[in-house]
Amino acid sequence: AQSVAQPEDQVNVAEGNPLTVKCTYSVSGNPYLFWYVQYPNRGLQFLLKYITGDNLVKGSYGFEAEFNKSQTSFHLKKPSALVSDSALYFCAVRDKDSNYQLIWGAGTKLIIKP
Amino acid sequence: DVKVTQSSRYLVKRTGEKVFLECVQDMDHENMFWYRQDPGLGLRLIYFSYDVKMKEKGDIPEGYSVSREKKERFSLILESASTNQTSMYLCASSLESGPSTDTQYFGPGTRLTVL
């Protein structure tokens, strides 16, 4: 069965430090992978996605994610965290052979402390 | 920019009431989705629609129905609201289903409380 795991419910990082939010996946075929962010009291916003090609994907707000096929991971990273990055982050995956449906992780709350 | 709007940010209803949640997108997107978001469970797909009058069940369709009479509007209906339907409801749309066009854009959400 297809699935997405975000193993950390919460990640705490000091402002200015690098951050990583982890995501691993399991799909039957080659995946499309997504990261979304939800700021307090707002809808989800698209950050970035991996379709094919370069394993390092750059997205909005200085975020990037690295696709690692052997480890079936797609971790979200940022070199220097900002307090304003504090939000709920969701990883999602779609099997290339399926239509429409994304499989979503449970979400990771990122807290950046000044 | 894509804009997805939802009719209410907050809604309080009583058990047994019929509830309508409306979603409108302004970018001529083919696909529209209804999710519910609950803490620790991520997003769960209720229904989606890939064309006017077309719909498919998602992972948790029980207790819900949908209507898409116009391309820009997708309605979620709770026929008889129950307390376990208290949740955040998110609407989304995407242009098409191809790899470059399937990014989903979300509305701000409706927090529904059923008493």
Side-chain angles (χ1 to χ4, degrees):
Chain A
Q2 299 180 81
S3 64
V4 175
Q6 293 182 244
E8 300 153 318
D9 292 335
Q10 183 169 308
V11 172
N12 298 300
V13 178
E15 187 177 27
N17 283 1
L19 70 86
T20 298
V21 182
K22 295 180 180 177
C23 173
T24 59
Y25 66 89
S26 173
V27 298
S28 55
N30 292 317
Y32 295 152
L33 293 152
F34 300 78
W35 276 103
Y36 281 79
V37 59
Q38 187 177 38
Y39 297 104
N41 299 314
R42 295 178 66 178
L44 271 73
Q45 295 179 34
F46 169 75
L47 270 181
L48 52 81
K49 72 177 177 182
Y50 170 82
I51 302 173
T52 188
D54 194 344
N55 290 342
L56 187 64
V57 180
K58 294 189 182 298
S60 305
Y61 313 120
F63 283 93
E64 58 188 26
E66 186 170 9
F67 171 63
N68 187 317
K69 187 172 184 178
S70 62
Q71 296 186 7
T72 61
S73 67
F74 190 56
H75 301 333
L76 182 70
K77 300 181 180 183
K78 188 173 182 180
S80 179
L82 300 173
V83 172
S84 58
D85 293 330
S86 299
L88 188 57
Y89 290 80
F90 289 95
C91 180
V93 64
R94 199 187 97 183
D95 187 328
K96 283 183 180 177
D97 295 327
S98 73
N99 287 323
Y100 316 115
Q101 287 206 42
L102 292 179
I103 308 299
W104 294 83
T108 298
K109 187 174 184 180
L110 178 63
I111 297 176
I112 309 300
K113 298 183 177 179
Chain B
D1 281 352
V2 176
K3 189 169 184 181
V4 181
T5 58
Q6 296 183 229
S7 50
S8 305
R9 292 298 303 272
Y10 300 94
L11 210 52
V12 180
K13 295 292 182 181
R14 298 218 174 263
T15 301
E17 280 193 79
K18 191 168 187 176
V19 182
F20 293 87
L21 302 182
E22 300 280 321
C23 176
V24 177
Q25 50 93 4
D26 67 355
M27 285 301 290
D28 202 34
H29 281 182
E30 299 289 332
N31 303 326
M32 296 188 75
F33 307 81
W34 275 108
Y35 293 93
R36 64 177 283 176
Q37 181 184 0
D38 299 289
L41 297 178
L43 276 69
R44 292 180 291 169
L45 183 65
I46 304 171
Y47 269 98
F48 64 96
S49 169
Y50 50 91
D51 201 350
V52 174
K53 297 189 186 293
M54 305 304 288
K55 61 186 179 185
E56 285 198 25
K57 293 180 180 179
D59 298 319
I60 51 165
E62 297 79 17
Y64 303 95
S65 61
V66 291
S67 172
R68 194 169 180 198
E69 297 297 319
K70 294 184 178 181
K71 191 174 187 179
E72 67 271 17
R73 188 180 298 270
F74 192 36
S75 302
L76 179 70
I77 303 147
L78 287 67
E79 296 289 342
S80 177
S82 63
T83 55
N84 61 13
Q85 293 179 309
T86 291
S87 186
M88 172 71 86
Y89 290 87
L90 298 175
C91 176
S93 70
S94 67
L95 178 61
E96 294 172 340
S97 297
S100 300
T101 55
D102 65 349
T103 298
Q104 293 186 21
Y105 297 88
F106 285 81
T110 296
R111 186 166 293 281
L112 173 67
T113 302
V114 182
L115 302 176

